[in-house]
Amino acid sequence: MESIATISGMRSRLKEARREIEKTKPFSTVGFMPTLGYMHEGHMSLIRQARKECDIVVVSIFVNPLQFGQNEDFDKYPRDPERDLKLAAEAGADFVFVPGVKEMYPAPTKTTVVVKQITDVMCGASRPGHFEGVATVVTKLFQIVQPDRAYFGMKDAQQVAVIEQFTADLNMPVHIVRCETLREPDGLAMSSRNVYLNEEERKQALVLSEALGKVQGWADQPGMTIERLERNIRDTIEAAPLTRIDYVEIRTYPGLEPVTSMDQWNGTEPVLVALAVKFGATRLIDNRIFS
Ligand code: PAF
C-alpha cells in the first residue's frame, strides 16, 4: 500500500495502476472511500467491500475544515494517521490519499457545491454549511481519484442522500454504494466520535439503538400516529438523563420530505427515522430505514 500526499502524485499513480491492470483486462475499476480518518471497524468493512468489488482501492484521510462549523470539533477531531494507515493496509487498500489542508485548499475556495432543500433539514439545520463543505470536498476528491464506485456508510444517511443528489444532478460518472451501519456488539453505531464519551455517557448512548429497535413494534400498534411514534421515541431517549435531543425526524428516504401520516409510513417510499442526540459535548447520530 502506498500513501500519497499530493494531488498530482495521486493522479499519476492511479493512471499507472489503471494502465497496468488494463494490460490484462479491457477496463479497470477504482473503488474509493473518503474518510475523516480515525478509522474503526466500520471504515474497514467498507474498504473490504471495495476490495471485493474493484481492481484498485483508494482511501482518503482528510479532516475537511470546510464541513466543520466555527464552534465544532475541527481542532480536536480525533486523529491517528499511523494507525489509520495500518488499518487501511490490513483491510486491503492499495492507495491512501493523505493531503494536507494547503494541498486541498491552497487559497480560500470561491467555488462550492450547494445542494438545495435536502440540506436545510436535520443535520443541515443544526450544522449550517456542513453539507456544502461535504459536497465540495467530495466533489474535489472525486475529481482527483475519478472513482467508478464510492462507498459511504448509512449511519450518515442524510450525507448519502446529498452525495447521491449532486452526483446525479452533475452527471458524475460514479456509482454511490450505500453500506450498512456497523454496530458495536451492544448495538451502538460505530463512530469516530464515540471515543469522546465517558463511561456513563457510553452506557446511556445505547438508548439510540434501543429506541430505533422499538419503532417497528410501535408502528404496528393499532391506532398509532406519526406524532405518537415520535413521542415514544423521544420518551425512550429522554429516559436516559444525560441525553439532550437535537432532533428526532421521520422523513421519506432519500427525498427527506416529512412523513405526516401512517398511510405514508405504510406507503411505497422508504421512511427514515433519524436521531441526533447530545451526550455532554458529544453529538451522536443514528437512524434506521423502514421500507
Ligand atoms: O463522512 C465523512 O467521513 C466525511 O463527511 C467525508 C465524506 C469523508 C467528507 O469529508
Side-chain angles (χ1 to χ4, degrees):
M1 192 192 73
E2 282 174 56
S3 103
I4 299 172
T6 63
I7 295 168
S8 59
M10 190 68 242
R11 284 197 171 124
S12 68
R13 284 298 291 119
L14 272 171
K15 209 183 259 178
E16 285 165 8
R18 276 200 189 260
R19 211 178 288 134
E20 198 52 41
I21 285 164
E22 287 164 13
K23 283 181 183 162
T24 55
K25 297 174 65 172
F27 60 87
S28 57
T29 51
V30 171
F32 179 42
M33 218 217 120
T35 79
L36 297 174
Y38 210 71
M39 298 216 192
H40 50 67
E41 186 49 39
H43 296 107
M44 294 189 53
S45 83
L46 268 59
I47 302 172
R48 284 192 206 105
Q49 185 175 342
R51 179 72 284 159
K52 281 195 203 124
E53 296 173 354
C54 305
D55 298 310
I56 301 166
V57 176
V58 184
V59 174
S60 66
I61 299 175
F62 179 60
V63 186
N64 171 37
L66 224 61
Q67 71 187 72
F68 288 79
Q70 274 193 343
N71 301 319
E72 292 185 356
D73 55 347
F74 174 72
D75 287 328
K76 76 175 200 25
Y77 193 83
R79 291 162 169 89
D80 192 344
E82 266 177 38
R83 182 171 163 275
D84 282 348
L85 292 183
K86 254 181 60 202
L87 293 181
E90 251 174 66
D94 296 303
F95 298 102
V96 180
F97 181 47
V98 285
V101 173
K102 277 261 141 53
E103 182 72 7
M104 288 297 281
Y105 302 110
T109 186
K110 294 195 174 83
T111 308
T112 61
V113 177
V114 177
V115 178
K116 293 180 190 157
Q117 291 170 356
I118 58 171
T119 57
D120 294 339
V121 298
M122 298 167 48
C123 289
S126 336
R127 305 182 65 189
H130 169 69
F131 286 116
E132 187 176 344
V134 169
T136 302
V137 80
V138 171
T139 300
K140 284 166 72 75
L141 291 166
F142 283 179
Q143 288 292 98
I144 296 161
V145 175
Q146 307 209 339
D148 301 281
R149 298 168 70 78
Y151 295 79
F152 293 91
M154 284 300 285
K155 183 173 76 66
D156 299 298
Q158 187 176 14
Q159 170 170 279
V160 173
V162 169
I163 292 168
E164 286 179 349
Q165 186 70 49
F166 75 74
T167 51
D169 286 346
L170 301 177
N171 305 100
M172 294 185 183
V174 56
H175 175 68
I176 304 302
V177 185
R178 297 180 182 179
C179 303
E180 208 184 304
T181 302
L182 242 80
R183 296 181 181 276
E184 301 291 352
D186 61 5
L188 181 69
M190 289 187 187
S191 163
S192 305
R193 290 192 168 99
N194 290 349
V195 292
Y196 295 150
L197 300 170
N198 66 31
E199 205 180 322
E200 192 47 39
E201 289 166 345
R202 171 67 183 76
K203 265 192 219 151
Q204 294 194 19
L206 286 185
V207 285
L208 302 193
S209 53
E210 272 168 27
L212 291 169
K214 289 181 179 165
V215 168
Q216 190 62 61
W218 288 325
D220 291 342
Q221 286 172 9
M224 183 51 65
T225 62
I226 292 295
E227 293 72 30
R228 274 187 43 214
L229 199 55
E230 189 184 322
R231 189 70 261 155
N232 287 353
I233 298 169
R234 286 181 174 273
D235 289 347
T236 305
I237 295 171
E238 282 166 349
L242 295 179
T243 56
R244 265 183 307 130
I245 294 178
D246 178 356
Y247 65 71
V248 171
E249 298 266 7
I250 304 178
R251 292 182 174 266
T252 59
Y253 194 81
L256 303 185
E257 296 293 341
V259 170
T260 53
S261 70
M262 290 311 286
D263 282 346
Q264 219 181 335
W265 175 280
N266 292 314
T268 50
E269 249 188 301
V271 174
L272 170 76
V273 175
L275 316 174
V277 176
K278 277 193 166 170
F279 296 82
T282 309
R283 182 175 173 281
L284 299 185
I285 56 172
D286 200 355
N287 69 75
R288 219 165 253 197
I289 293 179
F290 299 84
S291 46

